[in-house]
Amino acid sequence: MKIFRHLDKAGNMGFGRFDEEGRTFLIVQKPDGGFESTNQAITPFQLLTPIDFRCIYGVGHNYRAHAEETGAELPEHPMIFMKAPTTVQNPGDPIVIPRFLRSDKVDYEGELGVVIGRPCKNVSPEEAMSYVLGFVCANDVSARDWQKEKGGGQFCRGKSFDTFCPVGPCLVTIDELPDPSNLTLRTYINEEKMQEASTSDMIFNVPTLISFLSGSTTLLPGTLILTGTPSGVGEARDPRRFLVPGDEVTVEIEGIGLLTNPVVEEIFEEESSKEKKIS
């Protein structure tokens, strides 16, 4: 099932589902706390991220072609970093380029996201998929200057600015997408295709990543795993192509859907005050 979360015009949050033709229908919560799909058509006013994510793990250099374009050696073990939960952004809402801590090298990374559905620890690759709730389109937005030049050797700063993890538009449950190992992923900027690859190019597949991350570590329900980005990122292009205000980024994954976000520039309080005084 393709499940989404939304607000209606009154500001009430609810759940719905997309059918194969993209039509939207209501999902209702039952008295016992469970959910039930209906055939009642609805018109979402605003799409939200499918769930509230508790923890976000990212995987670096997990596509062979991407590792090659960045000059990195193929890793022996998954390269793991984390993003703050406050990075999560709704479908259609803007990616905000930082200006208080200024970045002029904000990059896109279209990725397959995996959502954990129940607690797991020390699971084998063979049993890992039984802990998956479903899959999402995601964009691991990255400020390359803060990631590599100003971040003290750690990825966290450059990966954790507000709005740097758009997710959506829906969560596709594992019963509908049981094998994520051969999905086509594309990323566009303003309708120009920047990335296209198959998830079969992953160095570490989804079961291996879940097994590795759960080693001596509990993965809670609502954990989001960003499984890496293919080649074609802005930093590796010639000339380089970083995001600028006015851009629109779309991540498309076969069997899941399209995640689109505009790009704007941060306006923080000091600048707003100055503008008011001038006017």
Side-chain angles (χ1 to χ4, degrees), residues 44-109:
F45 182 69
Q46 180 186 2
L47 289 176
L48 306 174
T49 58
I51 66 171
D52 290 323
F53 298 103
R54 302 181 67 170
C55 181
I56 305 171
Y57 289 99
V59 184
H61 298 152
N62 196 34
Y63 281 74
R64 292 173 180 83
H66 177 52
E68 292 171 1
E69 75 175 352
T70 59
E73 295 183 4
L74 297 186
E76 182 179 353
H77 302 289
M79 176 184 171
I80 303 300
F81 60 89
M82 299 188 75
K83 293 173 77 87
T86 49
T87 60
V88 173
Q89 182 61 303
N90 298 317
D93 285 348
I95 297 165
V96 180
I97 297 178
R99 287 295 178 256
F100 188 88
L101 286 185
R102 188 179 181 91
S103 175
D104 295 301
K105 297 181 178 180
V106 176
D107 209 345
Y108 53 89
E109 294 190 17

Side-chain angles (χ1 to χ4, degrees), residues 49-261:
T49 58
I51 66 171
D52 290 323
F53 298 103
R54 302 181 67 170
C55 181
I56 305 171
Y57 289 99
V59 184
H61 298 152
N62 196 34
Y63 281 74
R64 292 173 180 83
H66 177 52
E68 292 171 1
E69 75 175 352
T70 59
E73 295 183 4
L74 297 186
E76 182 179 353
H77 302 289
M79 176 184 171
I80 303 300
F81 60 89
M82 299 188 75
K83 293 173 77 87
T86 49
T87 60
V88 173
Q89 182 61 303
N90 298 317
D93 285 348
I95 297 165
V96 180
I97 297 178
R99 287 295 178 256
F100 188 88
L101 286 185
R102 188 179 181 91
S103 175
D104 295 301
K105 297 181 178 180
V106 176
D107 209 345
Y108 53 89
E109 294 190 17
E111 306 203 8
L112 172 68
V114 180
V115 182
I116 298 299
R118 59 191 180 101
C120 66
K121 181 177 181 179
N122 297 331
V123 302
S124 67
E126 291 72 25
E127 62 182 339
M129 297 303 287
S130 67
Y131 292 86
V132 173
L133 176 63
F135 304 96
V136 294
C137 296
N139 188 351
D140 175 22
V141 182
S142 307
R144 300 300 188 193
D145 37 12
W146 287 98
Q147 177 187 356
K148 298 188 175 183
E149 302 159 22
K150 309 175 190 178
Q154 299 292 322
F155 280 14
C156 180
R157 175 66 288 181
K159 297 279 190 176
S160 286
F161 290 108
D162 287 354
T163 75
F164 269 31
C165 190
V167 181
C170 62
L171 181 147
V172 180
T173 53
I174 192 167
D175 59 312
E176 185 165 324
L177 194 63
D179 182 9
S181 64
N182 191 25
L183 304 176
T184 299
L185 184 156
R186 301 182 182 92
T187 305
Y188 300 85
I189 298 180
N190 308 328
E191 300 184 355
E192 179 183 358
K193 185 168 62 180
M194 312 301 284
Q195 294 181 290
E196 181 172 17
S198 170
T199 55
S200 62
D201 191 46
M202 285 186 186
I203 299 167
F204 305 103
N205 63 18
V206 171
T208 301
L209 291 175
I210 295 171
S211 178
F212 180 79
L213 285 166
S214 72
S216 302
T217 306
T218 300
L219 302 182
L220 296 171
T223 295
L224 173 64
I225 302 172
L226 306 176
T227 58
T229 198
S231 61
V233 296
E235 182 186 44
R237 305 182 77 87
D238 186 16
R240 291 182 173 183
R241 176 56 165 99
F242 295 118
L243 298 178
V244 296
D247 281 340
E248 185 176 76
V249 186
T250 297
V251 178
E252 177 185 16
I253 302 180
E254 178 185 1
I256 300 178
L258 297 167
L259 168 67
T260 299
N261 298 87

